[in-house]
Amino acid sequence: MYEILAQPLTRINGVGATLEKRLMARGITCLGDLLLHLPKEYVDDRHVALIAQLQEGVSSRIVGRVVSKQARGFGRNRQVIIRLADESGQISLNYFHSGYMMTDARLSEGREISVRGVAERWNGYWQMSHPEWCVSESFHPGFQPVYASLAGLGGKRLGTMIRQLLSILPASACSPLDGLLSEQFHLPSLLQVFKQIHHPDELGRDALEQAVGRLKSEEIIVYLHLMRQKKQAAVCPAVALDNEDKSRALLNALPFPLTDAQTSACHDIAIDLESGNRMHRLLQGDVGSGKTWVAALAMARAAGNGAQAALLAPTEVLANQHAETLQELFEPLGLEVALLTGSTRAKARREMLKRLASGELKLIVGTHALLTEDVQFEHLALALVDEQHRFGVRQRWALTEKKNENNGAVHLLGMTATPIPRSLALALYGDMDLSIMRGMPPGRLPVETRVISAEKMKPLADGMQRILDVEGRIYWIVPRIDEDEDGVSVDQRVELLKGYFPAANVIGLHGRMKSKDKNSALDAFSSGACKILVSTTVVEVGVNVPEARLIVIEQSESYGLAQLHQLRGRVGRSEKQGYCMLVAGEKASEASMVRLKKMVNTHDGLELAEADLAIRGGGDAVGTRQHGEAGFRLLDISEDAVLIRQWHESLPDFTPDEAMQRFWRPFAESTD
């Protein structure tokens, strides 16, 4: 199965090099990627209504004969009106800019067609505008999948491509897990699951949820086996870093005493580093809890023992911020911190690598540039990975593999501000010990949070102007990059806000921009050249702009509480009051509003993560999600918590082959 899923998109009829290139730019690089473009919802298309039974404003399926067909207007503006009749009455089907329909033989008078659309009354008669249609013999009743548009392709076109793809999959194609999951857990095969999800027919909602759960099980089982292998590999001797002179000197020089949570985390790390066995620890600290100081004390200990430490960050912006902060802390101790990113000039890079290899340079901060083969250390004793959920398992380990054979294993400290309940963290990061830091350092005010509805934008604009008047800056978060993804896009909001705030130099930011353009947008916001930054969740972590006072999050009901808390942590990073406005979408349910209101009075990330787990933990068969957490393709840490824990507790005895690992862990190999 997995060799087939890895085949190119051009195996599908009608997909040539140009369309393949467009889809690849959106992350759809092989047949398997297209099959993982799951329906965003399903339409119950099992019942055909009579025209006389239609209800206004309700989407319905009807079947009738074409009574007449006429056109109005000329050229591109030509409108086609089809009169359709069944035994109970007639209806008008109105199609705009559709002159080509006049020559479509399938719509000849007397032909029977099947139509789905939203019925409306106009001057006492029924009509539908732009309903979808097919000849009646092509209609098959059942649950019809609805796909989000992608790369300029509509959902209907994508559905046709996926149906073609399913038709070319051989009946013999199977997953290595099929037999085991069928025998022990009575679950369907992977091929059956793909067909059920994309061709649900008479399946009920429960059966659809089970099918998606079976697909996600494939992903989590592969991941957990990888974790098990890494945990076994982590147990080995390492150099004991028992000289604490430098770390004690740094501790005495810090501007504030450590909080109890910081002290406890430092104690855990110190015991690990002195033990003579490899440290393999995850430091989970709430937004703004002061993880950087804890990391700095560990790095100082490494340098004080004559060894080296390297900190890996997911973005250039975050790497720059860490390098600046650490250089300020280490300068009085006579320690230098170097910065290595993709933007580092060749000459400076050569000099840096030479000093790392000789051991002259003790401390370095960098992005994925640290992972390249030519980066060699004389004695790397400590590797730190910040926002480690942005890296795949292999990347987290790659830095520790840059060891000198004479000096033993490299200690690993992962750090994350993503609040994950302890039970879930132990499953997801089972290769690591866990330290949790709660609470915030003194001097920080909790961010004032409000939930508002979409129609209250006018008072919000007035509040934004007040923030701008006192030289504050504003984040505006939207859930989508493109308009064709069925939501408000970055570009749409940039244009709207430019109209309201022409002097604010509104700039857009999203994950598909080139690294140079991303950095340019963030630099403009950091420097104050841009006062309003419209962004997707790419700013969720690591962007530190103390002047940012307000964050507006549109369609906030579509995010988990933990993610909203992460986004909220972008503001209130100075002594001035920060504000977070959660704008609920027009279709937000009552339950979503109740969930959002938990953000108003709760400022503890772990408490919010636990609440989200209790509310959303049952899972949801369909819907949009943003990949990236721990490199997952389908799994959502909050929504799929029950599934993750289930397989963690009863992991099948099975070893995934290379093709299977490659398919489910592609983000583990790539940059975010």
Side-chain angles (χ1 to χ4, degrees):
M1 170 69 90
Y2 285 100
E3 282 80 4
I4 297 166
L5 296 183
Q7 289 179 4
L9 295 162
T10 46
R11 282 282 318 274
I12 303 168
N13 282 340
V15 178
T18 304
L19 181 52
E20 182 185 41
K21 191 175 177 184
R22 265 167 57 198
L23 286 163
M24 288 179 80
R26 298 297 309 278
I28 308 295
T29 62
C30 61
L31 298 182
D33 291 339
L34 188 58
L35 282 178
L36 291 191
H37 185 65
L38 303 187
K40 63 177 182 174
E41 61 180 330
Y42 294 93
V43 171
D44 185 350
D45 223 355
R46 294 173 296 174
H47 309 291
V48 175
L50 292 170
I51 291 171
Q53 296 172 334
L54 291 173
Q55 293 177 289
E56 194 161 9
V58 175
S59 179
S60 305
R61 168 73 60 182
I62 57 173
V63 172
R65 294 194 178 277
V66 176
V67 174
S68 66
K69 181 171 63 169
Q70 64 181 95
R72 293 178 185 164
F74 299 93
R76 291 182 62 196
N77 295 323
R78 208 169 189 207
Q79 178 184 352
V80 173
I81 301 159
I82 297 169
R83 295 288 295 171
L84 197 69
D86 68 8
E87 63 197 62
S88 69
Q90 291 194 9
I91 187 170
S92 288
L93 312 178
N94 303 324
Y95 294 91
F96 302 93
H97 313 295
S98 302
Y100 62 89
M101 296 177 78
M102 290 301 293
T103 56
D104 194 324
R106 295 171 299 171
L107 295 170
S108 304
E109 288 182 20
R111 289 296 300 268
E112 189 175 78
I113 62 171
S114 177
V115 174
R116 171 170 280 283
V118 176
E120 301 165 314
R121 295 289 282 181
W122 181 257
N123 290 336
Y125 296 97
W126 283 114
Q127 68 169 18
M128 287 181 181
S129 295
H130 273 278
E132 62 173 82
W133 67 276
C134 62
V135 291
S136 58
E137 54 267 31
S138 297
F139 168 64
H140 303 289
F143 280 99
Q144 302 298 335
V146 180
Y147 297 93
S149 48
L150 184 73
L153 299 177
K156 206 169 176 186
R157 172 87 186 276
L158 287 164
T160 302
M161 287 167 59
I162 290 169
R163 279 195 298 277
Q164 285 179 0
L165 167 49
L166 287 170
S167 71
I168 63 174
L169 289 179
S172 58
C174 61
S175 158
L177 270 173
D178 282 347
L180 200 144
L181 293 185
S182 172
E183 288 165 24
Q184 294 185 20
F185 302 95
H186 311 294
L187 292 173
S189 72
L190 192 60
L191 184 59
Q192 284 175 299
V193 159
F194 278 132
K195 287 181 174 175
Q196 286 171 354
I197 290 169
H198 293 293
H199 258 308
D201 296 329
E202 288 291 331
L203 281 181
R205 190 63 68 168
D206 289 347
L208 279 171
E209 287 190 9
Q210 186 194 43
V212 176
R214 162 66 181 89
L215 187 54
K216 289 179 175 181
S217 294
E218 193 103 351
E219 177 170 34
I220 189 61
I221 289 168
V222 169
Y223 175 82
L224 290 173
H225 270 284
L226 199 52
M227 285 287 99
R228 181 181 281 181
Q229 292 165 19
K230 293 298 184 187
K231 188 168 182 67
Q232 290 164 354
V235 181
C236 58
V239 65
L241 305 177
D242 46 16
N243 184 330
E244 55 182 26
D245 292 350
K246 287 283 188 195
S247 58
R248 190 171 295 284
L250 176 58
L251 182 61
N252 293 333
L254 291 175
F256 297 104
L258 296 182
T259 63
D260 290 346
Q262 286 172 316
T263 302
S264 174
C266 285
H267 179 68
D268 290 346
I269 292 164
I271 288 174
D272 287 350
L273 294 178
E274 291 170 1
S275 69
N277 292 315
R278 180 186 201 173
M279 174 174 75
H280 212 64
R281 183 168 293 278
L282 174 63
L283 176 61
Q284 183 183 335
D286 211 344
V287 175
S289 61
K291 294 184 297 299
T292 307
W293 285 7
V294 175
L297 288 163
M299 292 174 81
R301 181 182 280 264
N305 282 269
Q308 293 165 299
L311 191 157
L312 177 65
T315 65
E316 286 202 15
V317 172
L318 187 50
N320 271 295
Q321 288 172 1
H322 278 316
E324 285 173 20
T325 305
L326 292 170
Q327 185 57 52
E328 203 175 308
L329 289 172
F330 287 135
E331 204 162 13
L333 304 181
L335 292 172
E336 177 195 352
V337 179
L339 174 66
L340 179 63
T341 71
S343 302
T344 305
R345 293 190 179 277
K347 186 180 174 187
R349 189 175 192 279
R350 280 195 302 273
E351 178 62 26
M352 206 180 294
L353 297 194
K354 191 175 163 188
R355 295 176 65 213
L356 276 178
S358 71
E360 180 193 343
L361 182 59
K362 301 292 185 202
L363 306 173
I364 190 164
V365 175
T367 57
H368 298 81
L370 277 177
L371 304 179
T372 57
E373 214 170 296
D374 59 344
V375 178
Q376 300 294 329
F377 294 83
E378 190 269 333
H379 179 195
L380 179 64
L382 174 63
L384 303 96
V385 183
D386 193 27
E387 294 307 337
Q388 72 141 30
H389 67 291
R390 291 295 180 102
F391 296 94
V393 184
R394 291 191 180 100
Q395 285 180 323
R396 296 207 300 270
W397 277 66
L399 193 53
T400 67
E401 285 160 12
K402 292 184 175 292
K403 60 188 179 186
N404 183 317
E405 294 303 329
N406 301 322
N407 297 313
V410 177
H411 297 288
L412 176 64
L413 178 64
M415 299 186 290
T416 182
T418 303
I420 305 169
R422 185 180 183 87
S423 59
L424 202 51
L426 290 172
L428 287 170
Y429 304 114
D431 59 327
M432 307 183 89
D433 298 313
L434 186 62
S435 292
I436 296 175
M437 282 168 50
R438 301 181 88 143
M440 297 171 77
R444 286 276 182 92
L445 295 168
V447 176
E448 194 174 310
T449 307
R450 295 176 202 162
V451 180
I452 62 173
S453 57
E455 62 265 19
K456 295 207 174 152
M457 290 294 202
K458 178 66 176 76
L460 177 57
D462 295 340
M464 289 171 70
Q465 189 58 60
R466 287 194 292 275
I467 294 284
L468 295 172
D469 288 343
V470 293
E471 298 303 313
R473 280 167 231 161
I474 299 166
Y475 292 105
W476 188 292
I477 307 299
V478 296
R480 302 284 183 274
I481 297 174
D482 299 327
E483 292 174 46
D484 72 7
E485 290 181 286
D486 308 319
V488 175
S489 72
V490 170
D491 288 344
Q492 282 175 315
R493 275 298 170 255
V494 167
E495 289 311 306
L496 179 79
L497 293 171
K498 275 181 176 175
Y500 276 99
F501 308 102
N505 187 23
V506 183
I507 288 179
L509 174 70
H510 56 75
R512 286 210 302 273
M513 288 166 65
K514 290 179 181 169
S515 185
K516 185 176 128 190
D517 296 332
K518 274 192 218 171
N519 291 332
S520 173
L522 285 165
D523 287 345
F525 189 62
S526 298
S527 68
C530 156
K531 298 289 196 301
I532 301 177
L533 185 68
V534 179
S535 176
T536 56
T537 54
V538 74
V539 299
E540 179 186 340
V541 293
V543 181
N544 184 27
V545 181
E547 296 82 4
R549 300 273 308 280
L550 168 66
I551 186 164
V552 180
I553 306 171
E554 276 200 81
Q555 294 179 22
S556 48
E557 74 283 358
S558 63
Y559 300 100
L561 296 182
Q563 192 173 29
L564 289 174
H565 181 64
Q566 285 277 91
L567 288 165
R568 176 169 66 180
R570 296 309 99 213
V571 298
R573 301 176 79 84
S574 68
E575 73 286 349
K576 292 180 180 170
Q577 180 65 58
Y579 301 91
C580 173
M581 298 296 162
L582 303 174
V583 183
E586 293 170 6
K587 296 179 182 174
S589 65
E590 203 172 311
S592 295
M593 296 301 283
V594 169
R595 193 170 65 85
L596 285 179
K597 281 170 183 167
K598 286 192 176 294
M599 292 286 297
V600 175
N601 299 315
T602 308
H603 295 274
D604 182 297
L606 275 172
E607 195 178 323
L608 285 169
E610 294 282 5
D612 218 14
L613 203 51
I615 297 165
R616 302 167 79 206
D620 183 10
V622 294
T624 59
R625 62 160 263 98
Q626 310 217 351
H627 70 66
E629 294 170 301
F632 290 131
R633 302 188 67 157
L634 291 178
L635 282 159
D636 180 293
I637 287 174
S638 172
E639 291 187 356
D640 299 316
V642 172
L643 191 70
I644 293 167
R645 287 194 293 212
Q646 171 196 317
W647 289 118
H648 182 240
E649 288 161 12
S650 54
L651 191 60
D653 187 14
F654 155 84
T655 304
D657 62 27
E658 191 58 36
M660 196 176 185
Q661 282 196 42
R662 261 199 317 272
F663 180 75
W664 284 113
R665 304 299 303 158
F667 307 125
E669 299 289 1
S670 63
T671 60
D672 226 27

